[in-house]
Amino acid sequence: MLEQEVEKEEKNNKNQHSNENSSEDKTGKATAHKELIQASWYRCEKFGLDHSSQPDFATLPKGILGDLVDQHRSLLETTENEVLPYYENILSNSSCMIVLADRQGHVLNTWGQPRFGSAAQHGLVGGNQWTEMRVGTNAIGTALITGEAIQVGRDEHFLRANRFMVGSASPIYNSNNDLVGVLDISSDAYLPQDHTFGMVKLMSLSVENRLIFSAFQQDHFILSFNTNVVSLDSHWSGILVLDEDGVIVSANRRAEVVLARDLGLLNINQVFDCEMREIKHHPINLPMKLLAMGRYQFYVKVIPPTQQIMRVPDFRRRTGYVMPSKQSPLASSMNALKNKDIAKSNTPITVNKKAIPENVIALDELQHGDERVERLVKQAHKIMEKDIPILIHGETGAGKEIFVRSLHYHSSRASEMLVAVNCAAIPSELVESELFGYEKGAFTGAQTKGSIGLIRRAHRGTLFLDEIGEMPMPVQSRLLRVLQERVVTPLGSTEMYPVDIKLISATNRILKEEVSAGRFRQDLYYRISGLNIELPSLRDRKDKAKLIQFLHNRLREEEPGPELSKEMLDLLVKHPWPGNMRQLVHVLKVGMAMADEEVLEDWHLPDDFFDDMNSDLDTLDDKSDEPLERLIPRLLNEFKGNISQTAKIAGVSRNTVYKYAKPKHESE
C-alpha cells in the first residue's frame, strides 16, 4: 500500500501538468531548485565558509542532549512507533539512514544502517548540529531555512567533505503550524532521487498527521477530506479537527493549502455545506460528498472521538444565561432596573464566568489576598479597553501567559483571537515571515498560497509577544513601523493591510539594560511600554498559601485527588519555587498521581522538590550582576549540562539557556 502511495506521489509530481505543459513545469522546478542551492551557497560564503572547510558539528554534551530528547519526546515516539514501521518494507531495500532533527538542526535520533563509514566520518549522530552556518549547504539545514522540502545532491553540498552523500529532507510542522523538526533520508548510494524525495515528504506528512491525531483524537471529531474517495486515508488528505460545536480547532497544512484560506476557529458550516449535527450523526466509515466554499466538491470521512461521552443538552451553557435569583418579585424588579442603569454606564466590561473557556482563570481568581497582584490586575483590566500597550516583566514560569489569557477573555476583544507568539521559540530566520506574513513566491520555499502572518491573525483581537527581548533587531524595526502606522505589509508585497490589535508584551529581561547594550531598540521600548507591570514570583507573593490551595482545588476538578493537609500546605509554602507557578503545577500533579487518592505525603513529591529546598539559592543573589553570557556557561558546567537546573538557578527560560550555551561566533 505504501509503495503505491510513494509511486502515486512521484506520478503526481511528474504529471502535474501533462502534455505541452509538462516540460515547462519540469524546467521551472529545476530552475527553482538551482536558485535555491545558489542562494544557500551565497549564505555559506557570508558565513565565512569555503569549499575546503571542515564541518563543525558543535556536538552537544550528553546532559543537554538528554534534555533536548526529553523536550521532543512526543515527536520522537510518534516518528519511531507510529510512522517508521509503515515504511519498513521500503527502507529495508535501501541503504540509507533516516535522521530526525529539531528546529535548530540538532540530530535527535537516527535509524537504519549507514553504508558510509563511521559516525566520525558522516556526522549523522545524536547531538550534532546540521545548520548551514556550521556544515554548509545540506538537506537538514537548508530545509530549516527555507521551510520547505529539499533534496541536496552530492556536488550540491557546499563543503567537499559532504559530497559523498545525497540528502532528502522535509520539515515537520505541529498543529499550530510551527516548525518543530526535520526528517531526513541520507545515503551514499545512487538511489532514484524522485523515489527518495517523494518518500521523505510522505513521511513528514505522516508524522504531522499522527501528531494531530495524538493530540485531539480522544475527545474531538476529525474530518479527513480529499477529491477522490479512495484517497481519504492517504497522507496527503486534508485534516480538520472539530470541537462539539463544530469549531475548527486545528488542521494540517494540506487542509489549508487545498482550501486556500485561514481555517483557525471557523465553524464547519463556513467551510462545507453541512452543520455539525449532521457530522455527529453520520455513520462511521461512510464517506460524505460535500461542497467546500459552495463550489469545490470533496469526499469527507468522519472520525468520531475515541472516548465519546454522552452529553445531555443543557441550554444554560449558552453565553448570556443568567441564573434566576431566589428573591421576591419586588427585589427582582429593583435589581433589573439597577442592572439596566449599569449597562448604560461606562463601568469596565465584565464577562460571565460561564462564557469564558475552561482553561482561562477568572480575573478575580488571579489573586487571593496579595495587594500588589490585586492592584496590577485592576490596572491591566482598565488599560485593556484603552489604546495603550502593556509590558509585563516577570521570571519565567510566573504565569505571564495565564495572566494575559485572563485579560483577553475579560475584555471587549474576547470574541476575537488571542495570538500568543514566543519570540525565542521561532528561528531567527523565520520570525519576520511568521509575524508579518508573505505573498506567494515571496522567497524560496514560501507556501504557494502565501501566509497571512500572526499579526493579521490577531486583527481586532490581542497580540501577545512573549520573550520580546529575544526578537532580532531587523524584526524590531518592522514591528515598530507596524505599531506606529497600524498597517502590515507582507514580505514580497506592496499592499498594506490595516490592523487593530491590543499589544501585550512580556519579558524576563531588563529591557532598559538591553537598550543600553544595543540589543533592543530604544524607540520600540517606549512604544511597547505603556503600562509596565511587574508580575511577582511565586516565592514573593503574600497570598502563597491560598494560591497553592486554589491551584490544588482546580487540579482536583480535572482529576480526583487527595486534599492538602495543613502539614503539606506548610511544606509547600516554605519551598523557594525557582520554577514559579509552572513548577508548582507540576509538583502538585506528580504528588496527586503518586498518592492515588490517598493522603498526600511528602514522599509522594518528586525528588528535585527537596533538592530545591536544600540548595543555597542565596549564592545567586551575590552574582546577579554577572552577564548571562558568562553566567549560563558557568552554571551549565557546574550542573554538568543540565538545562533545567541551569534555567532555574539563573532565573531564565530554557530557550535563553540554549541561546547563551552556543559558542559566541554562532550567536553573532
Side-chain angles (χ1 to χ4, degrees):
M1 180 66 183
L2 288 168
E3 289 90 340
Q4 294 173 357
E5 290 184 5
V6 174
E7 291 172 3
K8 187 170 183 178
E9 177 72 0
E10 295 172 30
K11 188 178 292 184
N12 288 341
N13 291 338
K14 294 178 181 177
N15 301 328
Q16 188 175 357
H17 301 289
S18 57
N19 301 331
E20 69 275 5
N21 292 331
S22 60
S23 60
E24 295 179 8
D25 182 63
K26 191 173 182 179
T27 302
K29 288 183 178 179
T31 301
H33 176 76
K34 183 178 180 181
E35 291 176 352
L36 191 150
I37 296 297
Q38 287 176 343
S40 175
W41 280 39
Y42 176 76
R43 287 192 296 270
C44 293
E45 291 173 352
K46 289 291 185 181
F47 293 147
L49 300 175
D50 59 51
H51 298 304
S52 60
S53 299
Q54 289 300 309
D56 177 13
F57 297 116
T59 306
L60 294 176
K62 288 185 178 180
I64 297 179
L65 177 59
D67 280 334
L68 205 58
V69 169
D70 288 339
Q71 184 180 345
H72 295 84
R73 180 65 59 191
S74 176
L75 177 62
L76 276 161
E77 291 180 350
T78 299
T79 303
E80 183 169 18
N81 301 330
E82 299 187 40
V83 175
L84 291 185
Y86 293 97
Y87 293 86
E88 187 174 357
N89 292 336
I90 301 175
L91 299 172
S92 62
N93 297 322
S94 306
S95 299
C96 60
M97 174 175 276
I98 303 172
V99 182
L100 180 65
D102 71 356
R103 62 174 176 259
Q104 304 295 338
H106 296 110
V107 175
L108 298 174
N109 202 0
T110 63
W111 298 268
Q113 297 297 323
R115 297 175 59 249
F116 30 92
S118 65
Q121 293 174 302
H122 59 69
L124 294 170
V125 293
N128 280 5
Q129 188 177 28
W130 282 76
T131 59
E132 285 189 345
M133 180 182 292
R134 293 188 170 281
V135 195
T137 303
N138 69 90
I140 295 174
T142 307
L144 281 172
I145 287 184
T146 62
E148 291 289 337
I150 184 173
Q151 186 169 72
V152 178
R154 293 167 176 260
D155 293 336
E156 290 176 334
H157 289 85
F158 186 80
L159 301 188
R160 294 193 188 97
N162 294 329
R163 293 179 184 173
F164 62 93
M165 64 178 173
V166 176
S168 302
S170 183
I172 300 171
Y173 293 84
N174 64 11
S175 57
N176 293 322
N177 218 12
D178 300 323
L179 195 154
V180 295
V182 173
L183 202 59
D184 167 80
I185 300 178
S186 292
S187 174
D188 69 341
Y190 289 95
L191 292 172
Q193 293 189 5
D194 286 342
H195 181 282
T196 308
F197 194 34
M199 183 167 61
V200 78
K201 289 195 288 185
L202 279 176
M203 292 171 69
S204 66
L205 286 174
S206 302
V207 174
E208 292 178 4
N209 292 346
R210 293 315 307 170
L211 287 174
I212 290 178
F213 273 82
S214 298
F216 295 104
Q217 190 174 13
Q218 184 172 350
D219 51 10
H220 288 76
F221 286 85
I222 298 180
L223 300 190
S224 172
F225 66 93
N226 212 319
T227 54
N228 192 319
V229 68
V230 300
S231 301
L232 279 173
D233 293 322
S234 68
H235 304 292
W236 53 87
S237 288
I239 292 178
L240 301 178
V241 181
L242 311 177
D243 67 8
E244 278 277 319
D245 300 318
V247 177
I248 300 175
V249 298
S250 186
N252 67 352
R253 283 189 294 157
R254 183 66 175 170
E256 293 202 333
V257 169
V258 171
L259 298 174
R261 68 174 300 178
D262 180 12
L263 300 169
L265 299 184
L266 293 180
N267 194 281
I268 190 61
N269 58 22
Q270 296 175 272
V271 179
F272 290 111
D273 59 339
C274 70
E275 297 294 333
M276 187 61 194
R277 61 178 178 274
E278 301 175 52
I279 292 173
K280 287 181 180 179
H281 301 298
H282 191 77
I284 301 175
N285 296 325
L286 180 63
M288 308 170 68
K289 186 186 291 186
L290 300 175
L291 285 181
M293 317 304 179
R295 52 178 175 167
Y296 302 114
Q297 181 175 286
F298 288 99
Y299 290 93
V300 178
K301 178 181 177 181
V302 179
I303 306 171
T306 56
Q307 290 190 1
Q308 201 161 6
I309 302 173
M310 179 66 71
R311 290 185 174 89
V312 178
D314 186 348
F315 299 135
R316 293 171 298 179
R317 295 177 57 199
R318 293 181 177 176
T319 302
Y321 171 76
V322 178
M323 178 74 72
S325 62
K326 297 181 180 179
Q327 297 174 330
S328 65
L330 178 60
S332 298
S333 300
M334 294 297 292
N335 283 336
L337 290 173
K338 181 180 179 182
N339 292 336
K340 187 175 181 181
D341 292 337
I342 292 175
K344 292 181 179 179
S345 68
N346 293 322
T347 54
I349 294 175
T350 58
V351 178
N352 183 356
K353 289 183 183 180
K354 295 184 179 180
I356 65 175
E358 293 182 358
N359 62 343
V360 176
I361 296 178
L363 276 177
D364 57 358
E365 293 177 342
L366 290 174
Q367 61 83 28
H368 299 270
D370 189 306
E371 294 181 357
R372 293 175 303 167
V373 180
E374 182 181 10
R375 184 174 64 255
L376 65 88
V377 168
K378 289 180 179 178
Q379 290 175 336
H381 188 209
K382 289 183 179 180
I383 295 299
M384 278 298 292
E385 303 305 324
K386 310 291 183 182
D387 187 19
I388 300 174
I390 299 174
L391 177 61
I392 304 173
H393 302 268
E395 296 180 4
T396 182
K400 295 188 285 291
E401 185 166 352
I402 294 174
F403 181 57
V404 172
R405 286 181 62 80
S406 184
L407 287 176
H408 171 77
Y409 283 102
H410 288 81
S411 74
S412 60
R413 296 176 180 264
S415 60
E416 302 296 336
M417 288 188 67
L418 165 64
V419 178
V421 184
N422 189 324
C423 299
I426 305 176
S428 57
E429 302 89 352
L430 302 177
V431 173
E432 196 168 11
S433 60
E434 288 292 311
L435 281 178
F436 307 107
Y438 53 84
E439 291 294 309
K440 59 181 180 180
F443 54 86
T444 303
Q447 294 185 30
T448 54
K449 69 181 182 70
S451 173
I452 189 174
L454 295 172
I455 293 179
R456 287 174 61 197
R457 280 180 184 263
H459 181 52
R460 296 194 180 125
T462 302
L463 178 66
F464 175 43
L465 297 179
D466 195 10
E467 299 197 52
I468 193 172
E470 308 284 347
M471 182 176 287
M473 290 292 283
V475 183
Q476 293 180 28
S477 302
R478 288 207 62 186
L479 177 62
L480 177 64
R481 182 180 176 187
V482 170
L483 299 180
Q484 289 174 335
E485 302 177 6
R486 297 304 173 98
V487 294
V488 172
T489 304
L491 298 180
S493 173
T494 57
E495 189 170 355
M496 295 183 293
Y497 297 88
V499 287
D500 170 20
I501 57 172
K502 177 65 183 183
L503 179 68
I504 304 180
S505 308
T507 180
N508 55 20
R509 295 188 174 198
I510 303 176
L511 287 186
K512 286 188 176 181
E513 294 182 0
E514 297 295 303
V515 170
S516 301
R519 292 188 292 265
F520 199 85
R521 291 181 63 105
Q522 185 178 45
D523 45 8
L524 178 60
Y525 169 74
Y526 288 110
R527 176 66 63 174
I528 66 174
S529 61
L531 172 67
N532 280 268
I533 292 174
E534 180 71 36
L535 200 61
S537 61
L538 177 57
R539 62 183 171 274
D540 294 331
R541 290 188 60 152
K542 306 301 183 184
D543 58 350
K544 194 189 314 183
K546 291 183 178 179
L547 179 59
I548 293 173
Q549 187 69 68
F550 166 77
L551 285 175
H552 180 254
N553 291 337
R554 191 175 176 92
L555 290 174
R556 291 177 68 203
E557 292 177 3
E558 300 175 6
E559 187 171 340
E563 295 184 359
L564 282 182
S565 64
K566 185 180 183 305
E567 294 76 13
M568 179 57 65
L569 183 59
D570 290 341
L571 178 64
L572 295 173
V573 169
K574 293 176 183 177
H575 196 274
W577 299 114
N580 286 298
M581 304 287 285
R582 188 178 299 141
Q583 183 187 11
L584 171 61
V585 171
H586 290 165
V587 167
L588 289 174
K589 283 185 175 181
V590 170
M592 291 167 64
M594 293 294 293
D596 195 20
E597 299 191 39
E598 297 177 359
V599 177
L600 184 60
E601 299 180 12
D602 55 4
W603 65 271
H604 291 135
L605 303 180
D607 291 340
D608 57 0
F609 173 86
F610 299 98
D611 293 340
D612 290 336
M613 296 193 73
N614 296 330
S615 62
D616 185 9
L617 295 179
D618 292 336
T619 57
L620 180 62
D621 296 332
D622 300 333
K623 303 177 178 65
S624 58
D625 295 332
E626 187 176 1
L628 289 178
E629 53 265 28
R630 290 204 300 267
L631 174 64
I632 289 178
R634 179 179 62 75
L635 291 176
L636 275 173
N637 183 59
E638 289 181 12
F639 296 114
K640 299 180 180 179
N642 189 304
I643 294 289
S644 300
Q645 191 70 5
T646 299
K648 288 178 184 178
I649 300 302
V652 298
S653 68
R654 291 167 61 96
N655 289 317
T656 302
V657 175
Y658 282 122
K659 177 179 179 180
Y660 285 97
K662 298 176 181 179
K664 184 179 180 183
H665 71 274
E666 181 182 352
S667 61
E668 296 174 349

